[in-house]
Structures are given as C-alpha cells and as structure tokens.
Amino acid sequence: MKANRCFRLIVRRGGLAPAFLASPDRVDHIEVVEIDGGEVVFFWDCPPHTASRRAREVREDLGRMDREDFLARWSTVEA
C-alpha cells in the first residue's frame, strides 16, 4: 500500500511569509501522522527554507513509496 494512504503530512509555518522571505529565526513544523491511529510518526522543527525543502521531499516520497520503504527512509533523517 502506498504511503500516502497510510500517512498524512501536516506543515505549519511559524509566520505568514513564504520561506524565501521568512526571518531566519522563524521555526516551521513538519509532522507525518498515521491516518488510522492519528499518532505522530515523524516530527521536525526546522528553519523555513529547510522545512520547505523537506516537506516537498516527504510529499514526493509519500506518493511513490510503500509504507515500509517510507518508514525506513525517513526514520534515519535527523532534525
């Protein structure tokens, strides 16, 4: 089963500005939540530019990987 059927990506920006205009002090939050249980599987606090790039990568992987491959790939990534 594809990962995007098992997990939901939630991105919260710490401000209204897009990443390229954001203050370097801003912190954006990225969560990957299990759909069935509502449990947070992965959570990162990142600067805006890093959060934008990471959210894009996670979204792509959710669409192309199955559940086990997605968990294996992202479990090694640090904040």
Side-chain angles (χ1 to χ4, degrees):
M1 179 182 285
K2 290 281 188 186
N4 63 358
R5 303 288 185 227
C6 301
F7 303 110
R8 179 176 164 212
L9 175 65
I10 301 171
V11 179
R12 289 188 207 132
R13 295 189 307 191
L16 298 176
F20 68 92
L21 293 175
S23 165
D25 300 346
R26 187 175 97 181
V27 177
D28 292 353
H29 310 283
I30 301 172
E31 296 180 23
V32 177
V33 178
E34 190 175 30
I35 291 174
D36 290 338
E39 188 174 329
V40 176
V41 179
F42 300 115
F43 183 84
W44 298 283
D45 289 331
C46 307
H49 184 69
T50 304
S52 176
R53 184 176 52 241
R54 182 166 295 169
R56 190 174 329 118
E57 292 172 355
V58 169
R59 194 173 291 115
E60 289 173 3
D61 286 352
L62 281 170
R64 68 183 170 96
M65 294 180 161
D66 65 359
R67 183 182 201 285
E68 291 76 24
D69 290 341
F70 178 81
L71 289 172
R73 155 83 169 95
W74 287 99
S75 64
T76 60
V77 175
E78 294 183 20

